[in-house]
Coordinates of all heavy atoms in Angstrom, one line a residue:
S422 N 149.6 112.6 73.6 CA 148.3 113.1 73.3 C 147.9 112.6 71.9 O 148.7 112.4 71.0 CB 148.2 114.6 73.4 OG 149.0 115.2 72.4
K423 N 146.6 112.6 71.7 CA 146.0 112.2 70.4 C 146.0 113.4 69.5 O 145.5 114.4 69.8 CB 144.6 111.6 70.6 CG 144.6 110.3 71.4 CD 143.2 109.8 71.5 CE 143.2 108.5 72.3 NZ 141.8 108.0 72.4
S424 N 146.5 113.2 68.3 CA 146.4 114.2 67.3 C 145.3 113.9 66.3 O 145.0 112.7 66.0 CB 147.8 114.4 66.6 OG 148.1 113.2 65.9
K425 N 144.7 114.9 65.7 CA 143.7 114.7 64.7 C 144.3 114.1 63.4 O 145.3 114.7 63.0 CB 142.9 116.0 64.4 CG 142.0 116.4 65.4 CD 141.1 117.5 64.9 CE 140.0 117.8 65.8 NZ 139.1 118.8 65.3
I426 N 143.7 113.1 62.9 CA 144.1 112.6 61.6 C 143.3 113.2 60.6 O 142.0 113.1 60.6 CB 144.0 111.0 61.6 CG1 144.8 110.4 62.7 CG2 144.3 110.5 60.3 CD1 144.6 108.9 62.9
K427 N 143.9 113.8 59.6 CA 143.2 114.5 58.6 C 142.7 113.5 57.5 O 143.5 112.8 56.9 CB 144.1 115.6 57.9 CG 143.3 116.5 57.0 CD 144.2 117.6 56.5 CE 143.4 118.6 55.7 NZ 144.2 119.7 55.2
K428 N 141.4 113.4 57.3 CA 140.9 112.4 56.4 C 140.8 113.1 55.0 O 140.6 114.2 54.8 CB 139.4 112.0 56.7 CG 139.4 111.2 58.0 CD 138.0 110.8 58.3 CE 137.9 109.9 59.5 NZ 136.5 109.5 59.8
K429 N 141.0 112.2 54.0 CA 141.0 112.7 52.6 C 139.5 112.9 52.2 O 138.6 112.1 52.5 CB 141.6 111.7 51.7 CG 141.7 112.1 50.3 CD 142.5 111.1 49.4 CE 142.6 111.6 48.0 NZ 143.3 110.6 47.2
A430 N 139.2 114.0 51.6 CA 137.8 114.3 51.1 C 137.4 113.4 50.0 O 138.2 113.1 49.1 CB 137.7 115.8 50.7
T431 N 136.2 112.9 50.1 CA 135.7 112.0 49.1 C 135.1 112.8 47.9 O 135.0 114.0 48.0 CB 134.5 111.1 49.6 OG1 133.5 112.0 50.0 CG2 135.0 110.3 50.8
K432 N 134.9 112.2 46.8 CA 134.3 112.9 45.7 C 133.0 113.5 45.9 O 132.7 114.6 45.5 CB 134.2 111.9 44.5 CG 135.5 111.4 43.9 CD 135.3 110.5 42.7 CE 136.7 110.1 42.2 NZ 136.5 109.2 41.0
T433 N 132.2 112.9 46.7 CA 130.9 113.4 47.0 C 131.0 114.7 47.9 O 130.3 115.7 47.7 CB 129.9 112.4 47.7 OG1 130.6 111.9 48.9 CG2 129.6 111.3 46.8
Q434 N 132.0 114.6 48.8 CA 132.2 115.8 49.7 C 132.7 117.0 48.8 O 132.3 118.1 49.0 CB 133.2 115.5 50.8 CG 132.6 114.6 51.8 CD 133.7 114.1 52.8 OE1 134.9 114.1 52.5 NE2 133.3 113.7 54.0
E435 N 133.6 116.7 47.9 CA 134.1 117.8 47.0 C 133.0 118.3 46.1 O 132.9 119.5 45.9 CB 135.2 117.2 46.2 CG 136.5 116.9 47.0 CD 137.6 116.3 46.1 OE1 137.4 116.0 44.9 OE2 138.6 115.9 46.7
A436 N 132.1 117.4 45.6 CA 131.0 117.9 44.8 C 130.0 118.8 45.6 O 129.6 119.8 45.1 CB 130.3 116.7 44.2
K437 N 129.8 118.4 46.8 CA 128.9 119.2 47.7 C 129.5 120.6 47.9 O 128.8 121.6 47.9 CB 128.6 118.5 49.0 CG 127.7 117.4 48.9 CD 127.4 116.7 50.2 CE 126.5 115.5 50.1 NZ 126.2 114.9 51.3
K438 N 130.8 120.7 48.1 CA 131.5 122.0 48.3 C 131.3 122.8 47.1 O 131.0 124.0 47.2 CB 133.0 121.8 48.6 CG 133.3 121.3 49.9 CD 134.8 121.2 50.1 CE 135.2 120.7 51.4 NZ 136.7 120.5 51.6
I439 N 131.5 122.3 45.9 CA 131.3 123.0 44.6 C 129.9 123.5 44.5 O 129.6 124.6 44.1 CB 131.8 122.1 43.4 CG1 133.3 121.9 43.5 CG2 131.4 122.8 42.1 CD1 133.8 121.0 42.5
L440 N 128.9 122.6 44.8 CA 127.5 123.0 44.7 C 127.2 124.2 45.6 O 126.4 125.1 45.3 CB 126.6 121.8 45.0 CG 126.5 120.8 43.9 CD1 125.7 119.6 44.3 CD2 126.0 121.4 42.6
K441 N 127.8 124.2 46.8 CA 127.5 125.2 47.8 C 128.0 126.6 47.3 O 127.4 127.6 47.5 CB 128.1 124.9 49.1 CG 127.4 123.9 50.0 CD 128.1 123.7 51.3 CE 127.4 122.6 52.1 NZ 128.0 122.3 53.4
K442 N 129.2 126.5 46.6 CA 129.8 127.7 46.1 C 129.1 128.2 44.8 O 129.5 129.2 44.2 CB 131.3 127.5 45.9 CG 132.0 127.3 47.2 CD 133.5 127.2 47.0 CE 134.1 127.0 48.4 NZ 135.6 126.8 48.2
K443 N 128.2 127.4 44.2 CA 127.5 127.7 43.0 C 128.4 127.9 41.8 O 128.1 128.8 41.0 CB 126.5 128.8 43.2 CG 125.5 128.5 44.3 CD 124.5 129.6 44.4 CE 123.5 129.3 45.5 NZ 122.6 130.3 45.8
F444 N 129.4 127.1 41.6 CA 130.2 127.2 40.5 C 129.5 126.5 39.3 O 128.7 125.6 39.5 CB 131.6 126.4 40.6 CG 132.6 127.1 41.5 CD1 133.2 126.4 42.6 CD2 132.9 128.4 41.3 CE1 134.1 127.1 43.4 CE2 133.8 129.1 42.1 CZ 134.4 128.4 43.2
K445 N 129.8 127.0 38.1 CA 129.2 126.3 36.9 C 130.3 125.4 36.4 O 131.4 125.8 36.0 CB 128.9 127.3 35.8 CG 127.7 128.1 36.1 CD 127.2 128.8 34.8 CE 125.9 129.4 35.0 NZ 125.3 129.9 33.8
V446 N 130.0 124.1 36.6 CA 131.0 123.0 36.2 C 130.6 122.4 34.9 O 129.4 122.5 34.5 CB 131.1 122.0 37.3 CG1 131.7 122.6 38.6 CG2 129.8 121.3 37.6
N447 N 131.5 121.7 34.3 CA 131.3 121.0 33.0 C 130.9 122.0 31.9 O 130.0 121.7 31.1 CB 130.3 119.9 33.2 CG 130.8 118.8 34.1 OD1 132.0 118.7 34.3 ND2 129.8 118.2 34.8
T448 N 131.4 123.2 31.9 CA 131.1 124.1 30.8 C 132.4 124.5 30.2 O 133.5 124.6 30.8 CB 130.4 125.4 31.3 OG1 131.2 126.0 32.3 CG2 129.0 125.0 31.9
K449 N 132.4 124.8 28.9 CA 133.6 125.2 28.1 C 133.1 126.3 27.1 O 132.2 126.1 26.4 CB 134.2 124.0 27.4 CG 135.4 124.4 26.6 CD 136.0 123.2 26.0 CE 137.2 123.6 25.1 NZ 137.8 122.5 24.4
I450 N 133.8 127.4 27.2 CA 133.5 128.5 26.3 C 134.8 128.9 25.6 O 135.8 129.2 26.3 CB 132.9 129.7 27.0 CG1 131.6 129.3 27.7 CG2 132.6 130.9 26.1 CD1 131.0 130.4 28.5
V451 N 134.9 129.0 24.3 CA 136.1 129.4 23.5 C 135.8 130.7 22.8 O 134.8 130.8 22.2 CB 136.4 128.3 22.5 CG1 137.7 128.6 21.8 CG2 136.6 126.9 23.2
F452 N 136.7 131.6 23.0 CA 136.6 132.9 22.3 C 137.8 133.1 21.3 O 138.8 132.5 21.5 CB 136.7 134.0 23.4 CG 135.6 134.1 24.3 CD1 135.6 133.5 25.6 CD2 134.4 134.7 24.0 CE1 134.6 133.5 26.4 CE2 133.3 134.7 24.8 CZ 133.4 134.1 26.1
T453 N 137.6 134.0 20.4 CA 138.7 134.4 19.5 C 139.5 135.5 20.1 O 139.2 135.9 21.2 CB 138.1 135.0 18.1 OG1 137.3 136.1 18.4 CG2 137.2 133.9 17.4
E454 N 140.5 135.9 19.5 CA 141.4 137.0 20.0 C 140.6 138.3 20.1 O 140.9 139.2 21.0 CB 142.6 137.2 19.2 CG 143.6 136.0 19.3 CD 144.8 136.2 18.5 OE1 145.0 137.3 17.9 OE2 145.6 135.2 18.4
D455 N 139.6 138.5 19.3 CA 138.8 139.7 19.3 C 137.7 139.7 20.4 O 137.1 140.7 20.7 CB 138.0 139.9 17.9 CG 139.0 140.0 16.8 OD1 140.2 140.4 17.0 OD2 138.7 139.6 15.7
G456 N 137.5 138.5 21.0 CA 136.6 138.4 22.1 C 135.2 137.9 21.7 O 134.2 138.0 22.4
E457 N 135.1 137.4 20.4 CA 133.9 136.9 19.9 C 133.7 135.4 20.3 O 134.7 134.7 20.3 CB 133.8 137.0 18.4 CG 133.7 138.5 18.0 CD 133.6 138.6 16.5 OE1 133.2 137.6 15.8 OE2 134.0 139.7 16.0
L458 N 132.5 135.0 20.6 CA 132.2 133.6 21.0 C 132.4 132.7 19.8 O 131.8 132.9 18.8 CB 130.8 133.5 21.5 CG 130.4 132.1 22.0 CD1 131.2 131.7 23.3 CD2 128.9 132.1 22.4
V459 N 133.2 131.6 20.0 CA 133.4 130.6 18.9 C 132.7 129.4 19.2 O 131.9 128.9 18.4 CB 134.9 130.3 18.8 CG1 135.1 129.2 17.8 CG2 135.7 131.5 18.4
Q460 N 132.8 128.9 20.4 CA 132.2 127.6 20.8 C 131.8 127.7 22.3 O 132.4 128.2 23.1 CB 133.2 126.5 20.6 CG 132.7 125.1 20.9 CD 133.8 124.1 20.7 OE1 134.9 124.4 20.4 NE2 133.4 122.8 20.9
Q461 N 130.6 127.0 22.6 CA 130.2 126.9 23.9 C 129.6 125.5 24.2 O 128.9 125.0 23.4 CB 129.1 128.0 24.2 CG 128.6 128.0 25.6 CD 127.6 129.1 25.8 OE1 127.3 129.8 24.9 NE2 127.1 129.2 27.0
W462 N 130.0 125.0 25.3 CA 129.5 123.7 25.7 C 129.0 123.7 27.1 O 129.6 124.3 28.0 CB 130.6 122.6 25.6 CG 130.1 121.3 26.0 CD1 130.2 120.6 27.2 CD2 129.2 120.4 25.2 NE1 129.6 119.5 27.2 CE2 128.9 119.3 26.0 CE3 128.7 120.6 24.0 CZ2 128.1 118.3 25.5 CZ3 127.9 119.6 23.5 CH2 127.6 118.4 24.3
P463 N 127.8 123.3 27.4 CA 126.8 122.8 26.5 C 126.2 123.9 25.6 O 126.2 125.0 26.0 CB 125.7 122.2 27.5 CG 125.9 122.9 28.8 CD 127.4 123.3 28.8
P464 N 125.8 123.5 24.4 CA 125.3 124.5 23.5 C 124.0 125.2 24.0 O 123.2 124.7 24.8 CB 124.9 123.7 22.3 CG 125.2 122.3 22.5 CD 125.7 122.2 23.9
V465 N 123.9 126.5 23.6 CA 122.7 127.3 24.0 C 121.5 126.9 23.2 O 121.7 126.5 22.0 CB 123.0 128.8 23.7 CG1 121.8 129.6 24.1 CG2 124.2 129.2 24.5
Q466 N 120.4 126.8 23.8 CA 119.2 126.5 23.0 C 118.8 127.5 22.0 O 118.9 128.7 22.3 CB 118.0 126.3 24.0 CG 118.1 125.1 24.9 CD 116.9 124.9 25.8 OE1 116.2 125.8 26.1 NE2 116.7 123.7 26.2
K467 N 118.5 127.1 20.8 CA 118.3 128.0 19.7 C 116.9 128.2 19.3 O 116.6 129.2 18.6 CB 119.0 127.4 18.4 CG 120.5 127.2 18.6 CD 121.1 126.5 17.4 CE 122.6 126.3 17.6 NZ 123.2 125.5 16.5
S468 N 116.0 127.4 19.8 CA 114.6 127.6 19.4 C 113.9 128.8 20.1 O 114.3 129.2 21.2 CB 113.8 126.3 19.8 OG 113.7 126.2 21.1
N469 N 113.0 129.3 19.4 CA 112.2 130.5 19.9 C 111.4 130.1 21.1 O 111.1 130.9 22.0 CB 111.3 131.1 18.8 CG 112.2 131.6 17.7 OD1 113.3 132.1 17.9 ND2 111.6 131.6 16.5
L470 N 110.9 128.8 21.1 CA 110.1 128.4 22.3 C 110.9 128.3 23.6 O 110.3 128.7 24.6 CB 109.5 127.0 22.0 CG 108.5 126.9 20.8 CD1 108.2 125.4 20.6 CD2 107.2 127.6 21.2
A471 N 112.1 127.9 23.5 CA 113.0 127.9 24.7 C 113.2 129.3 25.2 O 113.2 129.5 26.5 CB 114.3 127.2 24.4
Q472 N 113.4 130.2 24.4 CA 113.6 131.6 24.8 C 112.4 132.2 25.4 O 112.4 132.9 26.4 CB 114.1 132.5 23.7 CG 115.5 132.1 23.2 CD 115.9 132.7 21.9 OE1 115.1 133.5 21.3 NE2 117.1 132.5 21.4
A473 N 111.2 131.9 24.9 CA 109.9 132.3 25.4 C 109.6 131.7 26.8 O 109.1 132.3 27.7 CB 108.8 132.1 24.4
D474 N 110.1 130.4 26.9 CA 109.8 129.7 28.1 C 110.6 130.3 29.3 O 110.2 130.3 30.4 CB 110.1 128.2 27.9 CG 109.8 127.4 29.2 OD1 108.7 127.6 29.7 OD2 110.6 126.5 29.6
E475 N 111.8 130.7 29.0 CA 112.7 131.3 30.0 C 112.0 132.6 30.6 O 112.2 132.9 31.8 CB 114.1 131.6 29.5 CG 114.9 130.4 29.2 CD 116.2 130.7 28.6 OE1 116.5 131.9 28.4 OE2 116.9 129.8 28.2
E476 N 111.3 133.3 29.8 CA 110.7 134.6 30.2 C 109.5 134.4 31.0 O 109.1 135.2 31.8 CB 110.3 135.4 28.9 CG 111.6 135.9 28.2 CD 111.2 136.5 26.8 OE1 110.0 136.6 26.5 OE2 112.1 136.9 26.1
D477 N 108.8 133.2 30.9 CA 107.6 132.9 31.7 C 108.0 132.7 33.1 O 109.0 132.0 33.4 CB 106.9 131.7 31.2 CG 106.2 132.0 29.8 OD1 106.1 133.2 29.5 OD2 105.9 131.0 29.1
D478 N 107.2 133.2 34.1 CA 107.5 133.0 35.5 C 106.6 132.0 36.1 O 106.4 132.0 37.3 CB 107.3 134.4 36.2 CG 108.4 135.3 35.8 OD1 109.5 134.9 35.4 OD2 108.2 136.6 35.9
A479 N 106.0 131.1 35.3 CA 105.1 130.1 35.9 C 105.9 129.1 36.7 O 107.0 128.7 36.3 CB 104.4 129.4 34.7
S480 N 105.3 128.7 37.8 CA 106.0 127.7 38.7 C 105.7 126.3 38.1 O 104.7 126.0 37.5 CB 105.5 127.9 40.1 OG 104.1 127.6 40.1
G481 N 106.7 125.4 38.4 CA 106.5 124.0 37.9 C 107.0 123.8 36.5 O 107.5 124.7 35.9
I482 N 106.9 122.6 36.1 CA 107.4 122.2 34.8 C 106.2 121.8 33.9 O 105.4 121.0 34.3 CB 108.3 121.0 34.8 CG1 109.5 121.4 35.7 CG2 108.8 120.6 33.5 CD1 110.5 120.2 36.0
N483 N 106.0 122.4 32.8 CA 105.0 122.1 31.8 C 105.5 121.1 30.9 O 106.4 121.4 30.0 CB 104.5 123.4 31.1 CG 103.3 123.1 30.2 OD1 102.9 122.0 30.0 ND2 102.7 124.2 29.7
L484 N 105.1 119.8 31.0 CA 105.6 118.7 30.2 C 105.3 118.9 28.7 O 106.2 118.6 27.9 CB 105.1 117.4 30.7 CG 105.6 117.0 32.1 CD1 104.9 115.7 32.5 CD2 107.1 116.8 32.1
D485 N 104.1 119.3 28.4 CA 103.8 119.5 27.0 C 104.7 120.5 26.3 O 105.2 120.3 25.2 CB 102.3 119.9 26.8 CG 101.4 118.8 27.3 OD1 101.8 117.6 27.2 OD2 100.3 119.1 27.8
K486 N 104.9 121.6 27.0 CA 105.8 122.7 26.5 C 107.2 122.2 26.4 O 107.9 122.5 25.4 CB 105.7 123.9 27.4 CG 106.1 125.2 26.8 CD 105.8 126.3 27.6 CE 105.8 127.6 26.8 NZ 105.4 128.8 27.6
A487 N 107.7 121.4 27.4 CA 109.0 120.9 27.4 C 109.3 119.9 26.2 O 110.3 120.0 25.5 CB 109.4 120.2 28.7
K488 N 108.3 119.1 25.9 CA 108.4 118.2 24.7 C 108.5 119.0 23.4 O 109.3 118.6 22.6 CB 107.2 117.3 24.7 CG 107.2 116.2 25.7 CD 105.9 115.3 25.6 CE 105.9 114.3 26.7 NZ 104.7 113.4 26.6
E489 N 107.7 120.0 23.3 CA 107.7 120.8 22.1 C 109.1 121.5 21.9 O 109.6 121.6 20.8 CB 106.6 121.9 22.2 CG 106.4 122.6 20.9 CD 106.0 121.7 19.7 OE1 105.3 120.7 19.9 OE2 106.4 122.0 18.6
I490 N 109.6 122.0 23.0 CA 110.9 122.6 23.0 C 112.0 121.6 22.5 O 112.9 121.9 21.7 CB 111.3 123.2 24.3 CG1 110.4 124.4 24.6 CG2 112.8 123.7 24.4 CD1 110.5 125.0 26.0
L491 N 111.9 120.4 23.1 CA 112.9 119.4 22.7 C 112.8 119.0 21.2 O 113.8 118.8 20.6 CB 112.8 118.2 23.6 CG 113.2 118.3 25.0 CD1 112.9 117.1 25.8 CD2 114.7 118.6 25.1
R492 N 111.6 119.0 20.7 CA 111.4 118.7 19.3 C 112.0 119.7 18.4 O 112.7 119.5 17.4 CB 109.9 118.5 19.0 CG 109.3 117.3 19.4 CD 107.9 117.1 18.9 NE 107.2 116.0 19.6 CZ 106.2 116.2 20.4 NH1 105.6 117.4 20.5 NH2 105.7 115.2 21.1
E493 N 111.8 121.0 18.8 CA 112.4 122.1 18.1 C 114.0 122.0 18.1 O 114.7 122.3 17.1 CB 112.0 123.5 18.7 CG 110.5 123.8 18.4 CD 110.3 124.1 16.9 OE1 111.1 124.8 16.3 OE2 109.2 123.7 16.4
E494 N 114.5 121.7 19.3 CA 116.0 121.6 19.5 C 116.5 120.5 18.6 O 117.6 120.5 18.1 CB 116.3 121.5 20.9 CG 116.2 122.7 21.8 CD 117.0 123.8 21.3 OE1 118.2 123.6 21.0 OE2 116.5 125.0 21.2
D495 N 115.8 119.4 18.5 CA 116.2 118.2 17.7 C 116.4 118.6 16.3 O 117.3 118.1 15.6 CB 115.2 117.1 17.8 CG 115.3 116.3 19.1 OD1 116.4 116.4 19.8 OD2 114.4 115.5 19.5
K496 N 115.6 119.5 15.8 CA 115.7 119.9 14.4 C 117.1 120.6 14.2 O 117.8 120.3 13.2 CB 114.6 120.9 14.0 CG 113.3 120.2 13.9 CD 112.2 121.3 13.6 CE 110.8 120.6 13.7 NZ 109.7 121.6 13.5
F497 N 117.5 121.4 15.1 CA 118.8 122.1 15.0 C 119.9 121.1 15.1 O 120.9 121.1 14.4 CB 118.9 123.2 16.0 CG 118.0 124.4 15.8 CD1 116.9 124.6 16.7 CD2 118.2 125.2 14.8 CE1 116.1 125.7 16.5 CE2 117.4 126.3 14.5 CZ 116.3 126.5 15.4
D498 N 119.8 120.2 16.1 CA 120.8 119.2 16.3 C 121.0 118.3 15.1 O 122.1 117.9 14.8 CB 120.5 118.3 17.6 CG 120.6 119.1 18.9 OD1 121.2 120.2 18.8 OD2 120.0 118.7 19.9
K499 N 119.9 117.9 14.5 CA 120.0 117.0 13.3 C 120.7 117.7 12.2 O 121.5 117.1 11.5 CB 118.6 116.5 12.9 CG 118.0 115.5 13.8 CD 116.6 115.1 13.4 CE 116.0 114.2 14.4 NZ 114.6 113.8 14.0
E500 N 120.4 119.0 12.0 CA 121.0 119.7 10.9 C 122.6 119.8 11.2 O 123.4 119.7 10.3 CB 120.4 121.1 10.9 CG 120.9 121.9 9.7 CD 120.6 121.3 8.4 OE1 119.5 120.7 8.2 OE2 121.4 121.5 7.4
E501 N 123.0 120.1 12.4 CA 124.4 120.2 12.7 C 125.1 118.8 12.5 O 126.2 118.7 12.1 CB 124.6 120.6 14.2 CG 124.3 122.1 14.4 CD 124.5 122.5 15.8 OE1 125.4 121.9 16.5 OE2 123.9 123.5 16.2
Y502 N 124.4 117.7 12.9 CA 124.9 116.4 12.7 C 125.1 116.1 11.2 O 126.1 115.5 10.9 CB 124.0 115.4 13.4 CG 124.5 113.9 13.2 CD1 125.6 113.5 14.0 CD2 123.9 113.1 12.3 CE1 126.0 112.2 13.8 CE2 124.3 111.8 12.2 CZ 125.4 111.4 12.9 OH 125.9 110.1 12.8
R503 N 124.2 116.5 10.4 CA 124.3 116.3 8.9 C 125.5 117.0 8.4 O 126.3 116.5 7.6 CB 123.1 116.8 8.2 CG 121.9 115.9 8.3 CD 120.7 116.3 7.4 NE 119.5 115.8 7.9 CZ 118.5 116.5 8.3 NH1 118.5 117.8 8.4 NH2 117.4 115.9 8.8
K504 N 125.7 118.2 8.9 CA 126.9 119.0 8.5 C 128.2 118.3 8.9 O 129.1 118.3 8.1 CB 126.8 120.4 9.1 CG 125.8 121.3 8.4 CD 125.8 122.7 9.1 CE 124.6 123.5 8.5 NZ 124.6 124.8 9.2
K505 N 128.2 117.8 10.1 CA 129.4 117.1 10.5 C 129.7 115.8 9.7 O 130.9 115.6 9.3 CB 129.2 116.6 12.0 CG 129.6 117.6 13.0 CD 129.5 116.9 14.4 CE 129.9 117.9 15.5 NZ 129.8 117.3 16.8
V506 N 128.7 115.1 9.4 CA 128.9 113.9 8.6 C 129.3 114.2 7.2 O 130.2 113.6 6.6 CB 127.5 113.1 8.5 CG1 127.6 111.9 7.5 CG2 127.2 112.5 9.9
K507 N 128.7 115.3 6.6 CA 129.2 115.7 5.2 C 130.6 116.1 5.2 O 131.4 115.8 4.3 CB 128.3 116.8 4.7 CG 126.9 116.4 4.3 CD 126.1 117.5 3.8 CE 124.7 117.1 3.4 NZ 123.9 118.2 2.9
E508 N 131.0 116.8 6.3 CA 132.4 117.3 6.4 C 133.3 116.1 6.6 O 134.5 116.1 6.0 CB 132.5 118.3 7.6 CG 133.8 119.1 7.6 CD 133.9 120.0 6.4 OE1 132.8 120.5 6.0 OE2 135.0 120.2 5.9
K509 N 132.9 115.1 7.3 CA 133.7 114.0 7.6 C 134.0 113.2 6.3 O 135.0 112.6 6.0 CB 133.1 113.1 8.6 CG 133.9 111.9 9.0 CD 133.2 111.1 10.1 CE 133.9 109.9 10.5 NZ 133.2 109.1 11.5
H510 N 132.9 113.1 5.5 CA 133.0 112.3 4.2 C 133.9 113.0 3.2 O 134.4 112.3 2.3 CB 131.6 112.0 3.7 CG 130.8 111.0 4.5 ND1 130.6 109.8 4.0 CD2 130.3 111.0 5.7 CE1 129.9 109.1 4.9 NE2 129.7 109.8 6.0
R511 N 134.0 114.3 3.3 CA 134.9 115.0 2.4 C 136.3 114.7 2.7 O 137.2 114.5 2.1 CB 134.6 116.5 2.5 CG 133.3 116.9 1.9 CD 133.2 118.4 2.0 NE 131.8 118.8 1.5 CZ 131.3 120.0 1.7 NH1 131.9 120.9 2.4 NH2 130.1 120.2 1.3

């Protein structure tokens, strides 16, 4: 009799399984022993516009608002990058 041959799951099939289960992938959160947040990847948006945008229930994507949010986030990112470079040079 013929027996079923078990095929190896492809990467796309595995990715679809993960998406169906709604896991958060590619995230990393580091805590201290006290339970305080030390590091989170991807970083949380820091601008006030991004927090206000999350509260709005408008459907669709507002491109002008998204551009403004990204400009605000760039300011924080540039500041962090400057700190990293200064630390590296020391």
